[in-house]
Amino acid sequence: MPLPLTDDQRATLRAVCDTVVPSIQRTPDPTGHWARKASDIGVPEAFEQMLESMPPENVAGLQELLDGLDQQHFGQHTQLSREQLLKNVSLLGPEAAAGVGALVGLTLFLYYGMPVDQQTGQNPNWATFGYPGPTVAPPQTPKAFTPIAVDGDTTLEADAVIVGSGAGGSVIAATLAKQGLKVLVVEQGDYYNESDFAQLELKAYQEMYWRGGPTPTGDMNVTILAGATLGGGTVINWTNSLKTKPHVREQWAREHGLEGVDGPDFDRHLDTIFNRLNVNDRCSDFNKTHQKMQQGAEALGWSYKTILRNSDPATYDPATAGYIGFGDVSGSKQSTQKTFLKDALDHGAEFIVNTFVEKVLVENGRAAGITGVGPNGPITVRAPRVVVAAGALESPGVLLRSGIGGPAAGDYLRLHPAWAFLGSYGEDMQGWWGTPQAGLVDEFSNVEDGYGFLIESSQYAPGLAGSALAFTSGEDHKEQMADFRSGGSFIALIRDHGHGRVTLDANGQTVPWYSLTDPIDVRNYQRANEALIRLYEVTGAHTIAPLAPTQLRWRRGDNLEAFIDRAKRLPPRAGGIQLFAAHQMGSCRMGNDPQTSVAGPYGELHDTPGVWIGDASAFPTPSGTNPMISIMALAHRTAEAITGVTETPDTALAGATAK
Ligand SMILES: Cc1cc2nc3c(=O)[nH]c(=O)nc-3n(C[C@H](O)[C@H](O)[C@H](O)COP(=O)(O)OP(=O)(O)OC[C@H]3O[C@@H](n4cnc5c(N)ncnc54)[C@H](O)[C@@H]3O)c2cc1C
């Protein structure tokens, strides 16, 4: 069914939006929070506009759903009946539940997240909870990179082509360029810098995130977030810089054949990355959520650590650090644009953006380059070395479309599944002040056979939070949002023992699948639910609620143990606890066995010489810590294997000095 919507579909969409965010008469209502409904600020129109960038099959599904609701005269029912109708439709099956979830989630995301005043970027809902929105005007920072302008059908040549400019790809690009190789980096996303960082959630998602922002796995079990811009995830991530844990390094070395990863040589790679990213502890102010987390850990006798960050103390500003998931307007984030990509540039590397690599070219069984689609036509890069570093969601897509990589290509996808409970403290928490992650509880990082979970915090933004909070009725959701300013978000993320998979759809596009069913993971999920709840309780939260479509909520005075028991039984999947994943790993993993790994212990494909895996997809198992530093260190090791040259501390840091 093609766009635009029919008049009937449009009317039903409007009715759905105003059911999800209804007008309710309550006094006092100084900011109009209760009286305002979705259509008052143009949500149905914005929703319809969003449909234009969605995959056609998803749009057709939503149109079908709107037709079904229309046949039941949705718009003519009372608010209560309309809410019940949405629930009833959800119960018809997974597809219907997914469709209703998308209607509700996107309505809430737009209502609380989109800029309404185009001049200021403000949204009238933010006044209710004191969210400031954009705090400073973006500076006029000049663009350091000038991507090659490619016109029409183009063929280029290089010594090495790097697919993807994120954490891993950038390190390999710099290391190869420093050895004098002609390097070409091909990036699917566009190039943005500080002058574009407007501190707006919707704009950032649309411009710099994979598939335009939070995107569900094929089974709807996990919502995925990943960067897709020049610099990849390092431009939009939260700069939490953790080294790979010894027990993970030992597992990679002993069980997967990555020799030396458990010893001093890998320490050298980690130190190289730490030094180049200027990782330090001087930009880790604790906001109120982190203060509570620390107090709670102390009270419970749990290990709590300050997080080190790749942020420049000279320009770091805690007032804007809360927005760094939308790009860091202060310029203090030491993303790869400021470090390894810049080093690559200074040593002659060239860059193409807005270009989607489809396949690796293979000739006589060896790498011969890549083919892709640019903004103005097909692009071929001929090169004897190809580094696939498109992130763990897309690297397997490149291999699968090329018919290389063997049976493990796309398998062993790890996600560090993460979720939150929201605690309300009855005081102004200003969750958007300060960096999203400044401290963590690592007490449970290894509770069963090397697997466990971390407790951290997250960026506190109204659009994503509004769409993730449980929706059971329009009034209940408004009630929760009215209290948004008092919230603190502790998240748990587990080092997953089980795994998912990336496959290709009929159009050759990747689809991630993930189900949290591994017994160790289920036990850690339950342990983490208990730990999160105890942390909130001991720090004085008035209420604690899971992000799940349930009215299950703990209020001070309620039986805590009974609440923990019920929370542990919430299913970690679609329809239950909302799982998120910002750490995709392992889908083209390294190892000795071509049946269970794609690449050998130094990253080169078992079945195709000249092709290396250079990103998080190379992890044999999940890092168990936020992965950026591990990705970059492993990429540095792979880069040295490609060049055959070991960098000294001086040459590793010689980035800023052009040849
Ligand atoms: C919101 C958020 C916060 C995070 N915070 C932290 C943190 O604080 N600390 C931490 O350690 N980690 C964090 N992470 C995770 C970390 O940023 C990622 O794990 C890391 O960037 C992944 O590196 P990568 O090289 O595997 O891929 P990426 O950095 O994702 O880079 C892959 C690049 O390849 C491009 N690409 C994809 N397909 C193609 C194609 N076919 N052709 C051409 N280009 C393609 C993409 O556009 C992307 O730019 C966070 C992630 C998110 C989303």
Side-chain angles (χ1 to χ4, degrees), residues 163-168 186-189 209 225-229 232-234 236-240 355-357 389-391 394 398 401 437 582-583 615-616 626-628 631:
V163 183
S165 63
V186 186
E187 166 58 48
Q188 177 190 4
Y209 276 69
L225 290 155
T229 180
T234 71
I236 52 82
N237 80 12
W238 300 338
T239 62
N240 174 348
T355 297
F356 182 75
V357 172
E394 291 294 342
V398 176
R401 286 190 293 269
Q437 297 191 332
H583 303 166
D615 58 12
N626 306 52
M628 174 181 69
I631 297 166

Side-chain angles (χ1 to χ4, degrees), residues 171-389:
V171 172
I172 300 187
T175 313
L176 268 51
K178 279 193 262 169
Q179 291 307 320
L181 295 182
K182 181 173 162 36
V183 170
L184 189 60
V185 178
V186 186
E187 166 58 48
Q188 177 190 4
D190 206 344
Y191 171 31
Y192 300 97
N193 75 350
E194 287 78 5
S195 62
D196 306 299
F197 298 156
Q199 306 134 73
L200 287 170
E201 200 173 359
L202 184 61
K203 177 176 175 337
Y205 287 145
Q206 287 177 329
E207 291 180 346
M208 296 189 288
Y209 276 69
W210 184 68
R211 298 195 181 158
T215 302
T217 49
D219 41 35
M220 309 296 288
N221 286 332
V222 188
T223 297
I224 306 263
L225 290 155
T229 180
L230 188 70
T234 71
V235 174
I236 52 82
N237 80 12
W238 300 338
T239 62
N240 174 348
S241 300
L242 298 172
K243 286 189 177 176
T244 328
K245 292 266 186 194
H247 71 276
V248 175
R249 292 169 57 176
E250 277 160 27
Q251 186 188 42
W252 289 1
R254 292 187 194 154
E255 294 173 25
H256 299 271
L258 274 62
E259 54 186 339
V261 163
D262 53 347
D265 196 45
F266 199 67
D267 290 338
R268 180 178 63 81
H269 294 299
L270 286 167
D271 290 342
T272 298
I273 303 303
F274 251 46
N275 290 336
R276 185 66 189 100
L277 297 191
N278 189 14
V279 174
N280 66 83
D281 63 358
R282 284 170 288 152
C283 308
S284 303
D285 291 294
F286 290 173
N287 62 13
K288 290 190 182 177
T289 303
H290 286 95
Q291 289 169 20
K292 300 263 184 213
M293 196 193 287
Q294 184 181 30
Q295 287 159 12
E298 277 168 13
L300 292 160
W302 296 347
S303 168
Y304 178 85
K305 303 246 166 55
T306 297
I307 280 172
L308 307 182
R309 301 181 53 224
N310 55 319
S311 177
D312 178 0
T315 44
Y316 156 72
D317 176 4
T320 58
Y323 300 80
I324 58 172
F326 313 148
D328 183 1
V329 69
S330 78
S332 74
K333 183 190 284 188
Q334 296 301 291
S335 74
T336 60
Q337 277 189 16
K338 292 190 183 296
T339 55
F340 288 98
L341 280 187
K342 177 71 167 50
D343 299 348
L345 175 73
D346 289 343
H347 288 81
E350 294 189 284
F351 302 83
I352 308 181
V353 296
N354 292 314
T355 297
F356 182 75
V357 172
E358 290 186 316
K359 289 183 183 178
V360 175
L361 278 173
V362 180
E363 290 171 6
N364 303 318
R366 283 196 60 88
I370 58 96
T371 56
V373 183
N376 301 312
I379 290 178
T380 301
V381 182
R382 298 202 59 85
R385 300 170 191 82
V386 175
V387 176
V388 180

